Structures are given as structure tokens and as C-alpha cells.
Amino acid sequence: MIEIGIAGKPNAGKSTFFKAATLADVEIANYPFTTIEPNVGVAHVRVECVCQELGVKCDNCIDGWRLIPVKLIDVAGLVPEAHKGRGLGNEFLDNLRQSEAVIHVIDASGSTDEEGNEIGVGEHDPCKDVEFLYNELDMWLFGILKRNWDRIARRIHLEKRDPAKYITEQLAGLGFKEWQVREALKVVGSDVMKFGDEELKTFATELRKRRMGMVIAANKADKAPEQFMKKLLSLDEIVIPTSAAFELTLRMAAKNGYIKYLPGDSDFEIIKALNEKQKKALEIIRDFLKKYGSTGVQKAINTVVFDLLGYIVVYPVEDENKFTDSKGNVLPDAMLVKKGTTARQLAYMIHTDIGESFIYALDAKRKMRIAEDYELKHNDVIKIVSAK
Ligand SMILES: Nc1nc2c(ncn2[C@@H]2O[C@H](COP(=O)(O)OP(=O)(O)OP(=O)(O)O)[C@@H](O)[C@H]2O)c(=O)[nH]1
């Protein structure tokens, strides 16, 4: 399953974001370091189910919306100089090793200082927090490179190894792809034997840029000064205004049967009697939805998966006419695969045995055989024919 890290300084709203997105039971409190242990939970991306296009009735979506699971990891509090061991230190960075991307939750309202202590709204410029996670990641990576560099560079030199390949192997735990290392090396230029601290720092930054995509959740947008939101949205970053607190309220209200609301909706419907106070609170949220289109939490998750990481959705089936599995379940699975995934690779993802005994694949929409190296497209419905 795709894993996405949720990171940010203390009190920015990570736990609230995590809880809203997963509805898991984590402590939410108004003081730094509520999140001590990494929290792993399941959230979902929201896409239009292909059943509409096919004109079939499917029991695996909600009003035509398909929710596909992704893993979220809420990483513990980050403070300036965490890479030197401050706060919870490197622990949080180590928790990001498995993540494909990060949602950086920042306090857009400027009501917490750089350490996460509460101050008045607008007293801290949230743009300063954006760079800070990059710096921590870069310095953390630089530390790892520096500790290993003499050995790595010597081996590359003595054994005439391919640098990109060897570095990728040696740093396997960090999840770099060889092309990422190769491209990053190109930027730094010069011979690896001559890398000093400056070159290693540049190398770390270039590696991080390629390895760890980031979406910024400009959180607490519900109380953020207008000029802060404008400034954040004009940055050369993917910035999504969010109110994790509003999303949490809406999900709780929906869970308890007060409203009809699907995460990502631009409005909700009240379906159970509410008192005046509750109504008023929900109307404030409704105004926010009108202004921003949604609470932003679902949008942040979708943006990471589809825009940043380039995933598409495909639907494997066993019956190409009814679009079902062997039990008659219509469109049983919606799978997230990377753009460029081939029919044969999909077979392997379903099961190694199916991949190994692959005979051919069928595009169930067009009822056409497709080549094993056919690159899947978003919303493809695929039948794999194997010898199994
Ligand atoms: N107004 C507003 N408050 C929020 C929002 N999200 C979180 N908060 C509040 O901000 C405070 C901190 O939220 P948490 O979710 O505990 O923050 P955290 O980043 O997980 O903090 P640590 O666990 O200390 O790292 C709490 O009082 C939340 O209720 C939001 O979108 N809007």
C-alpha cells in the first residue's frame, strides 16, 4: 500500500489531520508532543468509480465515489535542529524512510512559534516553516552520507563501480531509485572522490528533491489571516488550504448520523435534529467549504497520490462481460498503480503466480487483447488470462 508521511512542527495539527483522515483514535491535545509514537493508519483517496462509465451497478462505491486505501504515518514532533537530536531527534526522520511522499502540515494561522508554542494568531510567518522541514531532511541525509562517504567513495574508485548503482545499493534503506541518484550526481558534477561537505550537502538536497515529494497542507486556514494564505499560495510549492479541525468535526457528525457528508465534498446535508450551537458551528464550516471548495484534507491526499506520485486506478476483473470476479462481485478491486505499469506487471501485482503464468491480458471495456507491455491507462478494466 502507498505510504504517506504526515510531518510538521508540534501543534501544527498533524494529529488532527491524521485523525480526521483515518478516524483513528489518537490523542488530540493543545500542547507540543502529543504524538510520541508514530501512528500508522489507513486513509483513502477518492475517485469517480468506473461503474458509471460502464453503466453497471456496483456495490463497492458510495454514490459513484470509490475510496481506495492508502497508509498514513503521523510522524512525531519535529523541532528546529531535530537532525542534531533536538526534540525527538532523528526518530521522526527515520519514520519517513518508508514514505513515498510527505504531507507537510503547517500552521497557516501563524498562532504557534517555530517550536510549536502557542502565540497570538498572525504572530509567526508560516512561510518560514516551509523551508524548515526541507532543511531538516537535507541535514539528516547529509549526516548519513557523511558517515558513509569515505567507504563508499573508496569502493567506487578501487573497484571501478558504477557510482549511481553502488550508492543506491549502499543506501538501500532510504528507498532511492537508481535514476534519482544518477540525476542528483549529475547536478553535483565532479568526481565522487572529491566530494567535500559542500558537495555532499548539495547531493543530499538533490536526492531529497527527487525522493521525497511534498504537498503543503496550509492548516488552520479557518483562522488564518488572509495575507498569510495569499503568501503561502504564491509560493513555488503545492499548497492546499486545509482545516483539519473542520474535517474532523464533519466526519464525526457524519459518523454519528447528524449529517450526510463524504470526505472531499463541497457541502453537507443535515439529516438529524441539532441544537442551535451545533447548527451555528456547522454553518461556520459551511462558509469555509464555500470559500475553499472543501476542507482540503481529502484534496491533500488525492493530490499526493495522483498529481505528485503519478498513480492511476485500474480495475482487474475475471469476467470481461459482466466486469465481475468469479463470485459475481462487480468491479471488486480498484488498484492504484504507477503510470507506465504494464499489463504483465499488473499480473504480478495481483499475484506472483499469475504474473509467472501470464498468457495475455484483455481490455474489458473494448473486449480486445492487449500486449503484455501495454501501458495501463487510468480507469482501465483488465482481465488477466493466465495458465493458473
Ligand atoms: N482552528 C484550527 N485548529 C486546529 C486545526 N487543526 C488542529 N487544530 C488545533 O491545533 C492544536 C494542535 O493540534 P494537534 O493535531 O494536536 O497538533 P500536532 O501537530 O499533532 O502536535 P504534536 O502532537 O504536538 O506534534 C489542537 O488544539 C487542535 O485542535 C485547524 O484546522 N483549525
Side-chain angles (χ1 to χ4, degrees):
M1 205 186 290
I2 301 170
E3 189 169 311
I4 303 166
I6 311 285
K9 71 180 186 186
N11 254 334
K14 297 179 301 296
S15 305
T16 311
F17 187 107
F18 178 82
K19 181 159 183 175
T22 61
L23 266 188
D25 197 24
V26 295
E27 197 182 342
I28 302 174
N30 198 10
Y31 54 85
F33 302 127
T34 314
T35 323
I36 302 293
E37 289 296 315
N39 259 301
V40 181
V42 173
H44 296 85
V45 290
R46 170 182 168 162
V47 286
E48 277 182 49
C49 183
V50 77
C51 67
Q52 319 248 38
E53 185 192 329
L54 299 172
V56 291
K57 195 184 162 316
C58 135
D59 294 326
N60 297 306
C61 63
I62 305 165
D63 298 335
W65 294 104
R66 190 89 179 199
L67 302 177
I68 310 172
V70 293
K71 215 193 259 182
L72 286 192
I73 174 158
D74 176 9
V75 290
L78 148 80
V79 289
E81 310 217 308
H83 70 274
K84 290 187 185 160
R86 280 201 68 218
L88 294 169
N90 278 336
E91 220 176 285
F92 101 93
L93 295 159
D94 286 334
N95 285 322
L96 285 176
R97 281 170 187 261
Q98 304 296 324
S99 299
E100 286 187 46
V102 176
I103 295 176
H104 182 186
V105 179
I106 65 169
D107 176 354
S109 73
S111 63
T112 41
D113 68 13
E114 61 177 23
E115 308 261 337
N117 301 304
E118 262 204 275
I119 47 175
V121 167
E123 285 181 20
H124 176 79
D125 179 357
C127 291
K128 287 190 185 149
D129 296 341
V130 174
E131 277 304 310
F132 150 56
L133 181 56
Y134 290 141
N135 290 340
E136 287 303 323
L137 283 169
D138 293 354
M139 290 310 289
W140 169 67
L141 211 50
F142 165 68
I144 295 176
L145 291 172
K146 195 170 158 68
R147 277 200 300 282
N148 292 286
W149 201 253
D150 276 353
R151 181 179 52 83
I152 290 178
R154 216 174 324 114
R155 280 279 176 83
I156 290 173
H157 180 69
L158 292 176
E159 298 173 19
K160 301 206 173 3
R161 302 258 195 163
D162 173 60
K165 197 160 183 233
Y166 188 66
I167 294 166
T168 311
E169 279 165 22
Q170 289 300 305
L171 303 177
L174 298 174
F176 291 115
K177 302 265 189 311
E178 198 179 307
W179 69 265
Q180 295 169 334
V181 178
R182 202 173 295 283
E183 279 189 6
L185 277 174
K186 253 188 226 155
V187 178
V188 195
S190 81
D191 176 357
V192 293
M193 288 300 285
K194 298 197 186 109
F195 278 16
D197 282 3
E198 273 322 297
E199 284 81 4
L200 282 181
K201 272 184 196 159
T202 311
F203 187 40
T205 303
E206 295 300 324
L207 280 173
R208 185 264 304 157
K209 281 187 193 162
R210 287 162 180 82
R211 164 68 181 83
M212 201 57 99
M214 223 173 272
V215 162
I216 292 165
N219 195 42
K220 306 190 191 179
D222 52 278
K223 62 173 189 183
E226 216 46 62
Q227 76 270 22
F228 279 2
M229 291 310 290
K230 267 201 193 134
K231 206 170 155 194
L232 283 166
L233 288 165
S234 69
L235 296 177
D236 188 19
E237 304 275 349
I238 308 175
V239 179
I240 299 183
T242 61
S243 175
F246 284 178
E247 177 69 14
L248 187 56
T249 304
L250 291 177
R251 289 209 190 188
M252 297 286 237
K255 197 176 169 195
N256 294 319
Y258 287 102
I259 61 168
K260 192 167 181 280
Y261 170 75
L262 194 66
D265 278 352
S266 57
D267 202 357
F268 56 87
E269 188 192 335
I270 297 174
I271 51 174
K272 200 155 108 184
L274 294 168
N275 64 34
E276 281 312 307
K277 199 175 155 210
Q278 289 168 322
K279 266 193 219 157
K280 227 173 162 182
L282 284 178
E283 284 318 310
I284 293 172
I285 299 183
R286 207 192 294 274
D287 287 342
F288 182 89
L289 297 180
K290 270 200 195 115
K291 183 170 178 191
Y292 288 106
S294 72
T295 67
V297 170
Q298 186 62 57
K299 189 173 173 190
I301 297 169
N302 269 43
T303 302
V304 167
V305 173
F306 298 113
D307 301 340
L308 195 67
L309 297 174
Y311 279 87
I312 56 168
V313 183
V314 297
Y315 298 79
V317 294
E318 288 180 51
D319 182 325
E320 71 274 27
N321 295 308
K322 294 186 183 144
F323 310 115
T324 61
D325 61 11
S326 59
K327 299 185 196 100
N329 193 0
V330 179
L331 299 166
D333 287 317
M335 284 175 69
L336 289 166
V337 301
K338 281 257 182 183
K339 249 180 232 152
T341 300
T342 64
R344 180 76 181 246
Q345 286 167 337
L346 176 70
Y348 270 105
M349 286 173 190
I350 296 169
H351 202 284
T352 319
D353 284 351
I354 297 181
E356 274 165 10
S357 59
F358 177 95
I359 302 173
Y360 66 91
L362 208 103
D363 174 340
K365 281 187 194 166
R366 293 180 295 152
K367 313 279 184 265
M368 271 174 61
R369 258 173 103 132
I370 48 178
E372 66 173 288
D373 61 354
Y374 166 89
E375 282 188 12
L376 301 169
K377 296 193 179 48
H378 183 62
N379 276 350
D380 268 352
V381 182
I382 303 289
K383 173 182 170 159
I384 307 281
V385 180
S386 74
K388 281 273 163 190

